[in-house]
Structure formats: structure tokens, C-alpha cells
Amino acid sequence: MSVNIDLAFTVTGVADAPQAREIVGALEELMRDESIDGYVAIMVGVGEDGSCLVSGKSRFPLSISGFHRWQPHFEGLFAMTVAEVAAAARPEISWGYPDEEC
């Protein structure tokens, strides 16, 4: 059974703009590997404290079959992908369930 999911994430603790762009590239590759690359927008930004960050969100709800199995798999790959580029960076993922929102 499929479920509609909203994906949003932020990666803080990014050293500088070149590292942020490297993280974006690595996350874009992860999204391609997971077949959601056309559905997720990833961007470099500046946090409230003036530091670089990377953020992203799904453009519209993702329809995921077996989400309860895929979620921990994806979260692990996401954290590993960020850590391989920037060990000090802190990735955070938020999931939304648009079908349950009323």
C-alpha cells in the first residue's frame, strides 16, 4: 500500500558555500538513486546566524510504497551521504502526512 508523504530537510553546520554545493551534489545523487530526483528541490541558503545551510523539500507529496520500511533506509542513507561530505554537518529530516491533515 502506498502513502503520500511530504519530505523536508535541513543540513546545518555547513562550513562554507563550496561545501554546501558539494552536499547539494551528493544529495541530488541520492535522490536520483532513490528515484525521487525530479520531485525534490534542494537549495543552498543562509541560516539566521549567517551560516550556510542546505535545505530541501518535496515539490508535492511523494507516493511511497512500504513507507515504514523505506523511511529508516532513506534516513540512514541521507545521514551517511551528508557525513561523507561534511562530518560536522547536522542533517534533519521532517516527514509530513498530507492525507491526514484536515
Side-chain angles (χ1 to χ4, degrees), residues 9-96:
F9 58 84
T10 305
V11 180
T12 57
V14 178
D16 52 25
Q19 187 178 65
R21 287 189 297 274
E22 191 175 349
I23 291 169
V24 168
L27 291 176
E28 286 174 342
E29 185 175 331
L30 172 62
M31 300 306 159
R32 273 192 302 278
D33 291 348
E34 294 298 310
S35 300
I36 59 174
D37 54 313
Y39 306 102
V40 179
I42 305 172
M43 55 225 111
V44 174
V46 178
E48 292 178 9
D49 62 356
S51 64
C52 283
L53 59 82
V54 174
S55 63
K57 65 179 186 172
S58 51
R59 299 174 195 273
F60 42 83
L62 306 171
S63 181
I64 306 290
S65 295
F67 179 70
H68 66 284
R69 290 185 309 274
W70 181 80
Q71 178 185 8
H73 161 80
F74 179 80
E75 288 176 348
L77 288 175
F78 188 91
M80 185 174 61
T81 298
V82 171
E84 286 175 354
V85 175
R90 296 174 303 282
E92 183 178 318
I93 295 177
S94 302
W95 300 105

